[in-house]
Every structure is written in structure tokens, then in C-alpha cells.
Amino acid sequence: MAENLHVRPLGWVARLADTLMIPLMYLASGTIKESPQQTHLWNNTKLSSEEIRHLSRETMAHCSGDPTAVSRYICGIPVFHIPILGGWRMYVVLEPVEHDQEWHVGWTAEDTQGVSRVAIRGPVRTLIGPGDASFFGVTVEGEQVPIRHVATGYIWKHGPYARLPLL
């Protein structure tokens, strides 16, 4: 049995900062036809190998990377979340299997592992970089939920998933 992975909920200051960032995030994405990125430093928690060691790989969504994606950082600037500066544009759509409550999406890749503190309900988009990544779901109570990879899309293509939250 896997141990619970508790995700600290967002406080009112973080939620206010997220709201104030919306216009900037629309600008950074280069489109108003898609939901803007909600990934900010205060919205993510980095995880240690020990914290994710207990997660079941069988219930994760394993996704291939985008070989055309740029590095995460260029000259120390996190361009991967800024499409107008050449950042990552490919995303994967993930959804929990048989779970209709709020949940958090987490990830593990070669160079990083973490979990979003933004609680969501239903499917979500998350950017994918040059390397393969595995994504997991965690309930607000900290229990792992099975998730699946539903689709792949690209920012600026305005596909059927463009209005889903982008974390």
C-alpha cells in the first residue's frame, strides 16, 4: 500500500497572486483563445526521490517527450513556460480514472519531480518538454489516483482541449 503524499493547499495570497498574473500569462502564451498557464513558482512543490518512491508506477501516465522542445532554462531564464520566447508548446491531456473529486497532478522526469498545489477537477493539460515524463494524480487527501493520457496537443493550435486548465 502506498503512503499518502500530502499536498499543501494554496493560501489566499497565492490565489490572489495567480489572479493578478492572468493578464501576464495570456501575454506569455501568445494567445487569448486558450486557457493561460497556471504554473508559478508558488504553485508547485518539488518532491524528493523518497517522497515519490511509494507511488505506484502502474497508475501513472507515461508520456513521450517532444524532441523539438528547448531546454528548460536558457541563461538561467525559465523559458519553457513562455511560448512567445520559444518555450514548450506541446502538452498532454491527463485525467483521473473513475475519480470525480478535486485532485493534484504531479510529475517525474529525468531532471525534476514535483506536484502542483493547484487543485483541479476533471482533465488538465500539462506541458511536456524534450524528455519523457510520467505523471501521477493525488487526491486532496493525499491518496494516489490512477490517471490516463487522453490526448496530445499544441499551444496556438486551439484544439478541443484549449480551454482546459494548463498546469
Side-chain angles (χ1 to χ4, degrees):
M1 180 78 176
E3 293 180 17
N4 285 0
L5 178 66
H6 294 284
V7 180
R8 188 169 48 99
L10 290 174
W12 71 269
V13 173
R15 290 192 311 271
L16 176 61
D18 285 347
T19 301
L20 295 174
M21 290 287 293
I22 290 173
L24 180 62
M25 298 314 291
Y26 271 115
L27 179 64
S29 73
T31 180
I32 59 170
K33 294 182 180 181
E34 299 183 25
S35 293
Q37 180 83 246
Q38 295 181 45
T39 303
H40 310 299
L41 183 62
W42 56 87
N43 286 350
N44 295 324
T45 299
K46 290 188 179 200
L47 299 174
S48 68
S49 296
E50 180 65 26
E51 289 173 299
I52 65 166
R53 180 176 61 88
H54 302 288
L55 296 175
S56 167
R57 297 207 41 86
E58 290 78 33
T59 61
M60 293 182 181
H62 307 284
C63 302
S64 298
D66 176 6
T68 66
V70 299
S71 297
R72 189 177 302 277
Y73 296 94
I74 296 177
C75 298
I77 299 171
V79 296
F80 68 105
H81 283 294
I82 310 173
I84 62 168
L85 295 181
W88 300 351
R89 291 186 43 236
M90 184 175 157
Y91 61 80
V92 293
V93 178
L94 308 167
E95 71 178 5
V97 179
E98 298 179 17
H99 179 76
D100 61 357
Q101 304 299 311
E102 286 188 331
W103 66 290
H104 299 274
V105 65
W107 58 91
T108 178
E110 183 178 312
D111 61 343
T112 186
Q113 48 209 21
V115 63
S116 172
R117 293 177 55 209
V118 177
I120 50 175
R121 186 182 297 264
V124 64
R125 296 180 301 152
T126 185
L127 293 175
I128 189 95
D132 297 350
S134 295
F135 297 92
F136 58 89
V138 179
T139 67
V140 294
E141 293 83 21
E143 298 174 5
Q144 187 176 3
V145 293
I147 65 170
R148 64 180 159 229
H149 176 198
V150 177
T152 301
Y154 292 87
I155 294 175
W156 301 343
K157 297 277 183 167
H158 315 302
Y161 302 101
R163 290 316 229 170
L164 291 177
L166 177 61
L167 301 180

